[in-house]
Amino acid sequence: MSTRPSFSLGRALSAAFAGLPSMWSGAWAVLILWAAAGAFLPQLNPQSIPAFVIKAGTAILLLIFQYVAYGALYRIALFGRNAGKEGLGFGGLQLAWPELRLFLAELIVGLFAVLIVVAIGVVFFIAFNTAGMAEGHADTFDALRAMIQRHEGKDWIFISYLAAAWVFLIFLSLKFVLMGAANVAERRLVTLNALGLSSGNVGKLFIGLIVLFVPFVIVAIVVTAGAGVGGVTLGHGTSGLLVAHYVLQAVTVFLLIPVMIGFLSSAYGQIVASRTR
């Protein structure tokens, strides 16, 4: 058994794009519903109780479609032609234990992350106030803003602490990126025990996700700039920024999420396979 199971970054990236056709054909219905709900939500202005209820209901549907889509895409990426045997529904429409496990896992890990953030924050603010950094300011947050603008002397001790905290939180989030694939592939709830899956591979996972995400950021900047920030309207009085939202929602649902799930599923499969050698 390998002591440091690894995966091929190139192979995982190739699998991310190679699997797109099967993901589109296998999960087309839920992807369309997810994209439609996401596009419809910003148009609702909850100025009345009925409108608020409709917007709240749409938000709940959006969350449900998200996890249904995750469940469908992970089944397709991990099991291929056997995805149907793992519960893949017509057009990716199914709601079973894998979807519930995905939701519960993110909820549990999210609460764990909140506890860590709170602990980091408490230590920082106790040290910040004990060092007298808040003296002469209206409140601690005003002193914090002044410290960042001033950035001199002992300010750098606290700025370095904040920077190190951000790096640690990013590292921690990367340690959990294979959790979704594990929950579907292993047919059981995987939460904090997912930390060991990425051991020795955090750097590769980070590079892979950046490679996939950067093009989306570029598209988002171009589309938003093209739509115009100054209240430009298109045909039928439709806001240019609203159209930009439609485009980015479609790109996210039909391209970004599927390729990321394909990448993570391939990485997970390779790591698990290397452990059994």
Side-chain angles (χ1 to χ4, degrees):
M1 181 178 292
S2 174
T3 57
R4 296 194 63 183
S6 185
F7 73 97
S8 166
L9 180 59
R11 181 180 166 190
L13 288 172
S14 297
F17 291 97
L20 276 176
S22 59
M23 287 187 173
W24 289 335
S25 62
W28 62 271
V30 67
L31 293 179
I32 290 174
L33 290 172
W34 185 17
F40 181 64
L41 189 62
Q43 301 182 56
L44 299 174
N45 189 7
Q47 294 179 342
S48 63
I49 292 179
F52 175 80
V53 172
I54 293 173
K55 184 159 189 172
T58 304
I60 293 172
L61 279 177
L62 183 62
L63 185 65
I64 293 173
F65 290 147
Q66 174 185 324
Y67 282 100
V68 171
Y70 284 173
L73 295 174
Y74 271 120
R75 283 181 177 91
I76 295 168
L78 290 165
F79 301 108
R81 295 181 179 179
N82 294 319
K85 297 179 181 179
E86 296 295 329
L88 179 68
F90 174 76
L93 294 172
Q94 71 290 306
L95 190 59
W97 286 112
E99 286 73 26
L100 181 59
R101 287 198 300 269
L102 288 170
F103 172 74
L104 289 176
E106 289 197 359
L107 180 62
I108 293 170
V109 171
L111 292 174
F112 173 70
V114 168
L115 290 176
I116 292 177
V117 171
V118 169
I120 291 173
V122 168
V123 171
F124 174 82
F125 284 114
I126 289 177
F128 190 77
N129 286 281
T130 302
M133 299 292 288
E135 293 179 2
H137 296 278
D139 52 46
T140 302
F141 293 100
D142 181 60
L144 182 61
R145 183 168 52 252
M147 178 197 72
I148 294 175
Q149 293 174 346
R150 185 176 59 241
H151 54 272
E152 60 184 26
K154 63 180 180 180
D155 294 344
W156 285 108
I157 297 175
F158 296 96
I159 293 174
S160 298
Y161 178 92
L162 291 176
W166 275 111
V167 171
F168 171 74
L169 291 175
I170 292 173
F171 175 79
L172 185 63
S173 64
L174 287 169
K175 291 287 289 181
F176 282 108
V177 293
L178 298 178
M179 182 177 68
N183 270 281
V184 176
E186 298 180 17
R187 306 177 185 88
R188 64 188 179 93
L189 183 62
V190 179
T191 55
L192 300 182
N193 45 339
L195 286 169
L197 289 171
S198 56
S199 297
N201 294 287
V202 170
K204 285 184 180 181
L205 290 168
F206 177 72
I207 293 172
L209 292 173
I210 288 296
V211 168
L212 297 175
F213 193 71
V214 166
F216 173 78
V217 173
I218 295 173
V219 170
I221 293 173
V222 171
V223 170
T224 304
V229 186
V232 176
T233 58
L234 303 179
H236 306 291
T238 304
S239 166
L241 286 179
L242 190 57
V243 172
H245 170 77
Y246 295 156
V247 173
L248 295 178
Q249 177 72 11
V251 172
T252 300
V253 170
F254 289 98
L255 187 60
L256 180 62
I257 299 299
V259 296
M260 284 194 168
I261 287 180
F263 169 75
L264 295 173
S265 297
S266 176
Y268 169 84
Q270 292 182 57
I271 290 172
V272 171
S274 69
R275 285 180 170 179
T276 60
R277 292 172 187 169

